[in-house]
Amino acid sequence: MSTIQRESVADEVLDAVAEAVPRVREGLRGRRETVGSENASGDDQKAADVWADKHLADRITEIEGVGEFVSEERDAVVDCGSGLSVALDPLDGSSNLESNNLMGTIVAVYEDDLPARGRSLVGAAYVLYGPIATMVSAVDGTVTEHEIVDGERRPIERDMAIPADPTVYGFGGRTPEWNPEFAEYAGEIESELKLRYGGSLVGDVNQVIGYGGVFCYPALQSRPEGKLRLQFEGNPMAYIVESAGGRSSDGERSLLDVDPERIHQRVPLHIGNEELIDRLESKVER
Ligand code: AHG
Ligand code: MN
Ligand code: MN
């Protein structure tokens, strides 16, 4: 598949996600409850997770040029022919549904078979179900923010770049669970920036891209691999922020260089301004 063809399939995937947004959003109402099953990561599935997964998968797996599909809510890869591989977090931050806080959808389009290395990404995007439904996408290294109106993407900011002067930070996990090196880094950042932590990766990283800063869900003493998933969360968000001039790290290297071993593998995630991630790596030994 040529570069032009790969990018056009990636754009078709992002269009399919945008088209599903009104349906996904309207289906959140009345689907706050858990459905009694767990996903492959061991998270309780909410009816809204399953709803979003179905409406997005139905569209994405139909696209000519998509060969593989997997989501956070499915154990195994779906074979849909030949072409690019799509990994999806259908509803990110779904625990925010009960408190009516921000949630999102994250999509990654890889050239390689799944589980894929971040460097093989052709495009990535996240939808933010905020007061306005928006999509931030990166294809071929260019970051664009769109409003989603009636299932259509309308660009509102092109060539997005993370602001040079950082303003906000958000750190997941609980202070007693952090490794001492991260706790020391956190102490420095907390004295320099403003806390913005909303419990959804999409909402929190969107603030980092908009205002400059850093978001981390670090390795925890109880969970050295961290909480967030490389294929559906770490790689796509790293690709978008690095395309906007920022950096990402698992504590040692860009998330895009982390070896893909399993579909639902977790990874410590640090994303934001280059100098803040450089500082993090100089403190945190892995
Ligand atoms: P998901 O709802 O897709 O499982 O993602 C939830 C993730 C991520 O969105 C967020 O950054 C993190 O969980 C929040 O974790 P805590 O609830 O531990 O703060
Ligand atoms: Mn998620
Ligand atoms: Mn999810």
Side-chain angles (χ1 to χ4, degrees):
M1 200 184 281
S2 71
T3 305
I4 299 281
Q5 285 169 316
R6 285 198 297 271
E7 286 169 12
S8 118
V9 171
D11 272 321
E12 270 190 74
V13 171
L14 302 191
D15 286 338
V17 171
E19 193 218 334
V21 164
R23 195 99 174 87
V24 169
R25 189 168 197 153
E26 87 193 21
L28 297 179
R29 212 180 14 254
R31 286 186 172 81
R32 292 180 171 189
E33 76 286 0
T34 53
V35 291
S37 53
E38 282 186 352
N39 65 18
S41 296
D43 301 336
D44 288 338
Q45 284 182 309
K46 291 195 167 20
D49 286 316
V50 176
W51 166 271
D53 183 57
K54 173 173 172 23
H55 283 280
L56 288 155
D58 286 354
R59 285 167 173 77
I60 292 170
T61 50
E62 289 302 307
I63 295 172
E64 183 74 27
V66 170
E68 290 189 344
F69 172 82
V70 76
S71 86
E72 180 188 290
E73 305 310 328
R74 294 168 189 247
D75 295 349
V77 173
V78 175
D79 179 354
C80 11
S82 70
L84 303 182
S85 305
V86 177
L88 181 79
D89 181 352
L91 199 57
D92 172 67
S94 55
S95 57
N96 277 350
L97 191 49
E98 282 155 61
S99 56
N100 196 28
N101 276 304
L102 288 180
M103 283 168 285
T105 291
I106 308 171
V107 62
V109 186
Y110 297 94
E111 187 174 2
D112 291 358
D113 289 348
L114 296 166
R117 179 176 298 277
R119 291 291 173 207
S120 80
L121 277 164
V122 177
Y126 60 84
V127 172
L128 185 55
Y129 300 99
I132 299 167
T134 54
M135 175 188 278
V136 172
S137 66
V139 177
D140 188 27
T142 301
V143 183
T144 307
E145 183 179 30
H146 315 259
E147 254 186 58
I148 296 182
V149 182
D150 301 332
E152 293 216 340
R153 298 192 277 161
R154 294 188 186 164
I156 48 177
E157 188 177 346
R158 297 177 193 277
D159 284 337
M160 277 183 89
I162 190 168
D165 296 331
T167 309
V168 298
Y169 76 91
F171 297 148
R174 287 182 299 110
T175 310
E177 294 179 279
W178 293 340
N179 293 324
E181 304 81 9
F182 182 79
E184 188 185 326
Y185 172 78
E188 289 174 14
I189 298 295
E190 284 161 357
S191 68
E192 297 166 20
L193 305 179
K194 279 194 295 188
L195 171 60
R196 286 286 184 278
Y197 189 84
S200 83
L201 177 65
V202 171
D204 291 332
V205 171
N206 196 54
Q207 296 208 65
V208 166
I209 287 190
Y211 300 122
V214 58
F215 174 86
C216 302
Y217 208 111
L220 304 178
Q221 291 174 35
S222 58
R223 204 181 215 179
E225 73 286 1
K227 172 179 184 181
L228 301 177
R229 277 70 37 139
L230 180 66
Q231 294 296 306
F232 330 101
E233 294 167 316
N235 275 337
M237 298 310 261
Y239 181 77
I240 293 166
V241 174
E242 292 191 13
S243 299
R247 266 211 65 195
S248 77
S249 178
D250 68 346
E252 200 166 84
R253 67 182 67 76
S254 164
L255 292 174
L256 302 180
D257 292 321
V258 171
D259 289 334
E261 288 152 7
R262 297 176 313 284
I263 293 290
H264 297 277
Q265 116 190 43
R266 298 178 193 266
V267 67
L269 179 149
H270 315 83
I271 281 184
N273 282 74
E274 184 172 1
E275 47 106 5
L276 296 177
I277 302 301
D278 290 348
R279 245 166 87 183
L280 178 278
E281 286 186 342
S282 65
K283 278 220 186 289
V284 171
E285 304 300 318
R286 269 197 35 90

